Amino acid sequence: MLALIAGRGDLPAAVVAAHDGPVVVCALEGHRPDGVSVDRVFPLEGLGDLLHWLHGRGVTTICFCGAISRPSLSLRRIGWRTWPLVPRVVRALRRGDDGALRIAMRIFEDAGFRMLAAHEAAPSLLPVAGVWGVLPDGFEATARLGDQVSAAQAAADLGQACVLHGATVLAREGEDGTDAMLDRVTDASGGVLYKAPKPGQDRRADLPAIGPGTVHGAAKAGLSGIIVEADGVMVLGQPQVGDALAAAGLFLWIRKRGA
């Protein structure tokens, strides 16, 4: 059986809807996902109890999906099953996002669970390479700039998206996410949203995604389109994304990196 360790946003519900099989949904305190019921809410201090509960439910496979902000840890709240994990939890909280996720996944693996990426649990969320809408000439160089920015942001353990206009970087994604970045962009007519996984990141967790809200945010910012990495960015609500692109006159280029 599959269990989602679900964060905020639409991704957990999309995975549940697309997965072929039963799913148990668990959420860290303060991180309830949208559009799906949660079977167990747990505090970080109760991680050991969660692992025990998952085994009791017959769970064999774990999938991390959804946005999670860095939680705090209260030593006074730690349950006895969690105490052996405390050194690794503290180490994870001190790492960057990718390092923290690697430690978290290793904790589950050492407890006997198999880790499964969201796009492996729901393969239909990864569309094939191609263009939705009409791709104007001249965006190839902008896309290559996006590759460079993505590599630089990965080296600094920053976000997975940026807004580009020709050879200019207008905005970079921070800890508040893609939608917040788009809200900060104004007068970006002719620009594009570029989004891709960080080069070298563990793709079993934190694979980026876009959805209808992303399209609306790009249109509000005056962008001409969206460029995402093929096999690296999930597209949620694909019929709605297609409708939103058509209504706004935007393109979506699902591109092989380096093309």
Side-chain angles (χ1 to χ4, degrees):
M1 181 183 292
L2 174 68
L4 301 187
I5 306 302
R8 294 185 294 263
D10 300 330
L11 179 57
V15 171
V16 170
H19 181 65
D20 183 18
V23 180
V24 172
V25 180
C26 304
L28 186 65
E29 279 185 347
H31 294 79
R32 282 185 175 270
D34 298 327
V36 65
S37 60
V38 175
D39 298 289
R40 184 179 178 98
V41 176
F42 67 97
L44 183 59
E45 296 84 358
L47 179 58
D49 293 328
L50 174 70
L51 298 175
H52 178 77
W53 182 83
L54 290 169
H55 279 301
R57 290 291 299 265
V59 170
T60 58
T61 307
I62 301 293
C63 174
F64 287 2
C65 62
I68 295 179
S69 54
R70 198 169 294 267
S72 59
L73 180 69
S74 170
L75 296 180
R76 288 180 294 182
R77 297 181 63 197
I78 293 174
W80 67 269
R81 288 193 176 98
T82 305
W83 270 112
L85 305 174
V86 168
R88 298 166 75 182
V89 171
V90 171
R91 191 161 63 250
L93 293 175
R94 291 174 176 170
R95 296 287 180 88
D97 291 344
D98 198 43
L101 285 169
R102 289 177 187 272
I103 292 173
M105 288 189 288
R106 186 60 184 269
I107 288 174
F108 279 87
E109 288 176 327
D110 288 350
F113 299 101
R114 180 172 71 97
M115 296 302 303
L116 189 70
H119 62 281
E120 294 172 330
S124 63
L125 299 181
L126 278 182
V128 298
V131 177
W132 297 15
V134 177
L135 176 65
D137 294 334
F139 280 98
E140 292 80 5
T142 303
R144 289 192 292 272
L145 173 61
D147 295 341
Q148 297 171 15
V149 174
S150 177
Q153 292 186 174
D157 200 18
L158 300 175
Q160 299 165 313
C162 58
V163 175
L164 308 173
H165 189 288
T168 302
V169 181
L170 297 180
R172 300 173 187 264
E173 183 183 70
E175 292 183 358
D176 49 359
T178 302
D179 291 342
M181 177 189 66
L182 290 173
D183 286 341
R184 294 192 297 270
V185 175
T186 58
D187 193 23
S189 178
V192 296
L193 168 66
Y194 174 98
K195 192 161 189 174
K198 300 173 186 176
Q201 81 171 67
D202 191 326
R203 296 196 173 198
R204 293 175 300 170
D206 200 29
L207 201 69
I210 65 169
T214 314
V215 179
H216 295 314
K220 183 180 178 181
L223 303 183
S224 294
I226 302 171
I227 301 173
V228 301
E229 182 178 320
D231 299 323
V233 176
M234 294 175 284
V235 179
L236 314 182
Q238 293 178 23
Q240 293 81 9
V241 165
D243 291 343
L245 289 168
L250 272 63
F251 67 83
L252 170 61
W253 183 11
I254 304 166
R255 165 185 172 267
K256 293 288 187 181
R257 184 180 282 266

